[in-house]
Amino acid sequence: MQSILKTAIENSKKITKNGKVATYIPELAKGDRDALGACIFDISGNIILEGDYQTKFTIQSVSKVVILICALIDNGKDVVFSKVGKEPSADPFNSLVKLEMKETHKPSNPFINAGAIVCTSLVEGDNGIEKFSKIHNMMKKLANNNDIEVNYSVYNSEKLTGNTNRAIAYYLKGAGIIEKDVEDVLDAYFKCCSVEVVVEDIARMASVIANNGVAPWSNDRIIPEYINKIVKAIMMTCGLYDRSGEFCIEVGVPAKSGVGGCIMAVVPNRMGIAVVGPALDKYGNSIAGTKVLEELSKELNLSIF
Ligand code: GLU
């Protein structure tokens, strides 16, 4: 498997130049366009690292998976899905358009920004600090790493420039979908996006989901099984922005990408995979990371279909 991953990375590295590093905040624009690294963590606890696996990156939208897990644990599925939908949206991740058009004003799903901000508002905690701390603790547990922390330069940039997210959150508050203090909710959301990790952290998180919610390294249940199923389903249908359908065909496993260049992929009952490559395609997914996963899927027969 090591040599298959090595070859996939070598082949995919050639296309990093066709992508662009996210520039919506200056801190992300500093990302190394040509970096490409990956980690596979299987449910027996074996680990494979390849390429630029030491590259640090902010988790960005991959945090939406952990936010959803926490919202579901704290509220159950009926409450969560009374405030956020379960359907893919063909709109960009930060779009406001559908919120006003729908009678319910519910965001389409938990993986567009509006949906993730609603899920953050549902996580227990009297203020942004408490909400973030719950989500942060869950990230640490899922990664089996107590040292993962917020990158404060990225967080400050997110907070300073997050006007579209602010507009989304205030709209949802006006519509009665967010009940908590908007600035508290946004503060927790911006911190979640700014948590700095390496691919091993994300591959371990994915391995727990692949192992039906149980940590492969300790056999402890971290995610209730029914919640784990929901999370995999939403990853499958909504995880890769507007490219989720094509990803289903070409890779065929539940996954979630983020603009920091990471893609977390869950191969049910087999392994968690994380790739990082900051050069993004026009949809906001790692261009070379997607190719690595396509190659791995073919070579290792990963598709669940
Ligand atoms: N911090 C980004 C935002 O909320 C995350 C976007 C992403 O990774 O899709 O705008």
Side-chain angles (χ1 to χ4, degrees):
M1 207 181 297
Q2 183 98 40
S3 66
I4 291 175
L5 183 58
K6 190 167 194 253
T7 311
I9 288 190
E10 278 165 10
N11 293 342
S12 307
K13 231 180 147 93
K14 295 172 198 144
I15 63 162
T16 54
K17 60 179 184 311
N18 301 340
K20 285 197 186 110
V21 172
T23 51
Y24 74 95
I25 53 173
E27 279 305 312
L28 285 188
K30 293 181 191 159
D32 176 3
R33 188 194 70 175
D34 295 319
L36 188 60
C39 176
I40 297 178
F41 196 93
D42 75 20
I43 63 165
S44 307
N46 302 305
I47 181 170
I48 297 176
L49 295 155
E50 261 305 332
D52 303 310
Y53 63 87
Q54 284 164 327
T55 302
K56 288 188 178 160
F57 54 91
T58 50
I59 186 167
Q60 295 296 342
S61 273
V62 178
S63 68
K64 289 170 177 159
V65 174
V66 186
I67 296 171
L68 175 61
I69 291 169
C70 292
L72 285 166
I73 289 176
D74 286 353
N75 302 273
K77 85 174 189 346
D78 292 345
V79 171
V80 171
F81 292 118
S82 71
K83 293 190 175 278
V84 58
K86 318 175 180 97
E87 307 303 333
S89 91
D91 302 316
F93 68 100
N94 58 359
S95 175
L96 275 144
V97 161
K98 289 253 169 70
L99 297 180
E100 205 183 2
M101 279 163 55
K102 281 194 192 150
E103 214 178 298
T104 59
H105 305 297
K106 266 171 39 172
S108 307
N109 67 68
F111 288 170
I112 56 169
N113 285 10
I117 293 169
V118 170
C119 287
T120 307
S121 80
L122 291 173
V123 174
E124 274 172 10
D126 287 338
N127 51 48
I129 295 171
E130 285 180 20
K131 283 178 192 296
F132 174 67
S133 148
K134 276 204 94 166
I135 301 163
H136 190 199
N137 282 336
M138 179 56 87
M139 287 179 185
K140 291 179 184 170
K141 258 205 240 171
L142 289 169
N144 194 29
N145 180 359
N146 270 328
D147 296 329
I148 50 180
E149 287 304 336
V150 172
N151 174 326
Y152 278 92
S153 319
V154 173
Y155 160 72
N156 286 329
S157 244
E158 295 276 356
K159 202 171 159 104
L160 204 66
T161 60
N163 293 317
T164 309
N165 285 328
R166 212 162 258 119
I168 289 172
Y170 277 101
Y171 181 82
L172 291 166
K173 171 92 177 176
I177 301 215
I178 290 183
E179 289 167 29
K180 298 288 162 93
D181 180 85
V182 172
E183 289 301 329
D184 270 346
V185 172
L186 283 169
D187 194 61
Y189 174 76
F190 292 138
K191 278 195 185 128
C192 287
C193 291
S194 310
V195 166
E196 194 167 68
V197 286
V198 289
V199 276
E200 180 176 340
D201 296 317
I202 301 295
R204 281 178 182 266
M205 292 185 193
S207 76
V208 178
I209 304 173
N211 199 30
N212 300 308
V214 173
W217 49 88
S218 65
N219 272 333
D220 289 340
R221 174 163 295 286
I222 303 181
I223 310 166
E225 197 163 359
Y226 93 94
I227 290 179
N228 199 70
K229 268 192 186 163
I230 295 173
V231 170
K232 278 187 290 187
I234 305 275
M235 289 175 83
M236 191 83 242
T237 50
C238 312
L240 274 280
Y241 308 112
D242 301 349
R243 202 171 176 266
S244 299
E246 194 179 338
F247 190 88
C248 265
I249 294 171
E250 299 299 333
V251 184
V253 300
K256 180 74 199 91
S257 61
V259 295
C262 175
I263 306 177
M264 169 205 259
V266 169
V267 189
N269 305 313
R270 287 177 69 182
M271 62 188 82
I273 308 175
V275 288
V276 62
L280 308 177
D281 64 15
K282 64 175 180 196
Y283 303 101
N285 301 313
S286 171
I287 190 163
T290 306
K291 183 157 166 30
V292 169
L293 290 169
E294 285 174 5
E295 277 203 38
L296 283 183
S297 180
K298 286 185 187 87
E299 292 295 325
L300 302 171
N301 196 19
L302 301 182
S303 174
I304 64 169
F305 297 107

